[in-house]
Amino acid sequence: MEGQAQTYYTIPQLAEFCGVPKSALYAAARRGDLKTAMPKGCERLTLVKMEWFEEWIGVGE
């Protein structure tokens, strides 16, 4: 499994990996600016795909 890209990241993982404050990611998710997913049966776990994060920050625009 080592060396494979992770499909989903938690907000704390994404914040650490990309150097963006967790508070900014949580706020964007609450506003609906940052697309998120929640696993079935979970009430608090928020997941983000890297491509959604890149869309939010405007990579490639």
Side-chain angles (χ1 to χ4, degrees):
M1 195 118 150
E2 191 173 322
Q4 291 182 347
Q6 186 172 343
T7 304
Y8 289 94
Y9 295 88
T10 64
I11 286 183
Q13 288 172 331
L14 193 59
E16 184 176 334
F17 181 72
C18 297
V20 175
K22 287 187 291 188
S23 59
L25 295 172
Y26 281 119
R30 276 193 307 274
R31 287 191 310 268
D33 298 339
L34 175 61
K35 185 176 176 182
T36 61
M38 189 174 295
K40 191 172 186 173
C42 290
E43 294 180 16
R44 299 190 61 169
L45 183 62
T46 304
L47 301 175
V48 180
K49 282 187 172 184
M50 186 57 73
E51 64 191 63
W52 300 342
F53 173 76
E54 290 173 348
E55 288 173 14
W56 177 68
I57 60 169
V59 170
E61 289 183 4

